[in-house]
Amino acid sequence: IYADRCSVRHCRIRDTIGHKVIVWNEPFVPTGNLKGPRKFFTIEGNHITGIGQRASIDIASTDYSTNISNNGIIRGNLIEDMVLIIHTGNDLLIEGNVIRCPSLNSGGIQVHTGSNRVSVLNNVIGPCTVGVSSQNYCFDLIVRGNKISNTSGAGILIENCTRAYVDDNMIHTTGAGAEGIGFSGVVGGSIRNNEVYLAGSSSIVVGTTSSDVMVSGNRSQSPTNYGVNAATVAGLTVRGNALLGGQIGVAATSGTNTGIIIEGNDIKTTSANGIYTTAADVLIRNNSVRSAGAHAIRIQGAGSRVVGNDVRDTTGIGIYLTTTVTGVAITDNNVVNSSGAAIAGMQADTIVRRNTGYV
């Protein structure tokens, strides 16, 4: 497509050398079409299968120093064996597509290289490599309501994006060592109300210099590693999540983490700790941690505050300050039925008061 207001509907396309459908802002010399953005296009209801050396559908503004293609709809297509790529596009709606690659040699939906205001909604994706991914500095990306299953890599992987919102997705079974949802270098955004089952590593990972991220209302079940893992984050709130199984419910132990708030989470049946933090000045408040296989709440950062948590049926210590750090407060917690001490590791200036189950 080298024209504005073009539609591709209800076509059957298979086994091409290159792309199957492409919207391109480069010139098309045989027809005299000049370089420039293509606008107001629709790619809808097509059945696209078979081999190819390029993506099945590609919005390809490859010269993104000039105006790029924008205002398009990619909806209701069936795509097998190749990916749907946004190689720089603005104001795009990607909705209701079915994308699968049983051979696991390609991904689902990729958005990259400076794309703005792209919405990826209600698609059915998998099996494939990565379900939905972004890279190379995108802005204002919405990934919502997708069902992603049986990926060999991550379910959703957002890299180098400003304002990314990953909400209300269902992810089932990711590959060995692959997270359900991963943020890397994301500045501002949220991971909310997703369900992640059987992640090959952690259900949710926020790391690599991400900042100002909210993780709330998610349900994690039986990840190989952690329910939520913070790894080099500046500003992260983990609130109101239901985290069942795995090794640790919420971990903030990798890299340098600052501005961490962990509150109101329901954490059950972890093989190791319910919550484990090494960062300074962490607020751990009003969580329920039950049936942890090791210490329920394990802290080793100066200035941490552990307030108002309900800790029950712990194999190990209920609340454990593991290192010699200053300025820690452990107050107003309810600690019941720990095989070890209810609270341990206090230093000379640790504030410990009004904890039920500990004198």
Side-chain angles (χ1 to χ4, degrees), residues 200-217:
S201 65
S202 299
S203 291
I204 296 171
V205 177
V206 182
T208 315
T209 65
S210 294
S211 60
D212 300 318
V213 174
M214 169 72 74
V215 176
S216 68

Side-chain angles (χ1 to χ4, degrees), residues 129-166:
T129 52
V130 177
V132 178
S133 63
S134 82
Q135 56 184 315
N136 295 341
Y137 302 101
C138 298
F139 299 85
D140 299 301
L141 174 64
I142 296 173
V143 181
R144 179 180 298 149
N146 302 282
K147 182 179 180 183
I148 301 170
S149 60
N150 298 306
T151 58
S152 59
I156 298 172
L157 182 59
I158 308 300
E159 298 179 297
N160 301 323
C161 186
T162 299
R163 295 179 301 275
Y165 306 96
V166 176

